[in-house]
Amino acid sequence: MSGAALTGGKGHLLSDTLAAAKAEGRSALIAYLPAGFPTVDGGIEAIKAVFDGGADVVEVGLPHSDPVLDGPVIQTADDIALRGGVRIADVVRTVREAHEATGKPVLVMTYWNPIDRYGVERFTAELAEAGGAGCILPDLPVQESVLWREHADKHGLATVFVVAPSSKDERLAEITAAGSGFVYAASLMGVTGTRESVGAQAEDLVRRTRATGTDLPVCVGLGVSNRAQAAEVARFADGVIVGSAFVKRMLDAPDRVAGLAAVRELAGELASGVRGQA
């Protein structure tokens, strides 16, 4: 058994949700939206709409001024949120209200610097108290993650690490042994954004990650934007992660109501895709 056993918090809800999707013979749909975009209240409504449309799990982005993994679409949304004055307290509130309204697993995706400044113990305690299922930490090296994992485990929070096509097999084994919840497989080198094809690189990365002997689900993100791509990735991955496509629907919408309808509709399309309905 690799990965920490999660007790006492909502990390087990994430594991149970992914296991339930697998039992249904399908991939899970994992959606990403930043907190505070277009406003804190608007962001909470958008997450509810995405769940309503068929998402199994939602990642709430903690807006950052230097989002190294994120492409122009998410950077634009982050900028709107930051200019609106979003704070970590708003991210925690977003998690709480989205989880309370739906009963579904809500994670936070964040770079390490804001947590480091806020305080690891304080952040993990507040996230757990809000019903958060865990955190995705794309820029925290596994070898520097002991303090985080200690506090996350104490509060029953999943720690999701990111692997990339450039990750060597030895590194993949180190990451899968340390993580919990699932492994986030970045489908290609580069930043987030929708792409024409998600392709063979992602399938190979999933195969190599599973070859470490991990029992963690392997979920693929970066590039999926439509039903056909979701169906393609669902053939080989335990979960399909979609972010920029949801954010773009919100950015392109003429008003709040249209934005909510657009993300609900996209979630429905992608949910049929992960069920193999291309």
Side-chain angles (χ1 to χ4, degrees):
M1 167 91 185
S2 63
L6 298 165
T7 56
K10 296 290 183 183
H12 66 88
L13 178 62
L14 174 64
S15 301
D16 292 349
T17 299
L18 294 171
K22 187 175 185 177
E24 290 174 20
R26 66 174 179 89
S27 268
L29 173 60
I30 303 174
Y32 166 96
L33 282 167
F37 167 72
T39 61
V40 176
D41 289 343
I44 293 165
E45 290 307 310
I47 292 167
K48 291 180 191 173
V50 165
F51 272 133
D52 190 41
D56 297 291
V57 178
V58 167
E59 304 169 8
V60 175
L62 194 159
H64 194 266
S65 54
D66 185 26
V68 289
L69 185 75
D70 296 309
V73 170
I74 290 174
Q75 282 185 27
T76 299
D78 276 7
D79 187 50
I80 290 166
L82 290 166
R83 278 186 290 146
V86 73
R87 295 285 178 268
I88 286 180
D90 299 311
V91 178
V92 172
R93 182 188 145 213
T94 299
V95 170
R96 174 182 285 107
E97 294 194 15
H99 173 65
E100 282 178 355
T102 63
K104 294 185 178 176
V106 183
L107 296 144
V108 168
M109 185 165 188
T110 179
Y111 296 98
W112 179 244
N113 184 257
I115 294 179
D116 194 35
R117 287 207 311 262
Y118 195 73
V120 175
E121 169 58 25
R122 182 184 174 197
F123 184 86
T124 51
E126 289 181 9
L127 181 58
E129 191 273 327
C135 246
I136 302 164
L137 299 158
D139 66 341
L140 177 64
V142 170
Q143 60 272 25
E144 293 171 27
S145 69
V146 175
L147 177 68
W148 163 266
R149 286 187 284 135
E150 195 178 287
H151 287 293
D153 291 351
K154 183 168 82 177
H155 292 291
L157 297 169
T159 297
V160 178
F161 290 113
V162 178
V163 297
S166 59
S167 304
K168 303 280 188 283
D169 290 348
E170 186 183 330
R171 179 104 176 110
L172 290 176
E174 193 183 352
I175 290 168
T176 58
S180 53
F182 65 91
V183 180
Y184 186 128
S187 66
L188 33 80
M189 302 304 290
V191 297
T192 59
T194 61
R195 289 181 171 81
E196 293 302 309
S197 170
V198 184
Q201 237 183 352
E203 190 165 3
D204 182 60
L205 178 57
V206 170
R207 181 191 59 73
R208 290 173 52 225
T209 303
R210 286 188 180 137
T212 65
T214 185
D215 55 3
L216 292 174
V218 184
C219 304
V220 170
L222 303 198
V224 176
S225 62
N226 59 43
R227 181 191 281 122
Q229 288 174 335
E232 178 196 350
V233 174
R235 283 190 303 100
F236 58 82
D238 298 300
V240 179
I241 303 168
V242 181
S244 295
F246 282 112
V247 175
K248 189 168 188 320
R249 291 279 178 113
M250 297 276 288
L251 286 168
D252 290 348
D255 56 46
R256 186 186 69 84
V257 174
L260 295 176
V263 293
R264 187 181 292 109
E265 180 187 32
L266 178 59
E269 288 174 23
L270 296 165
S272 67
V274 299
R275 286 164 173 80
Q277 299 154 6

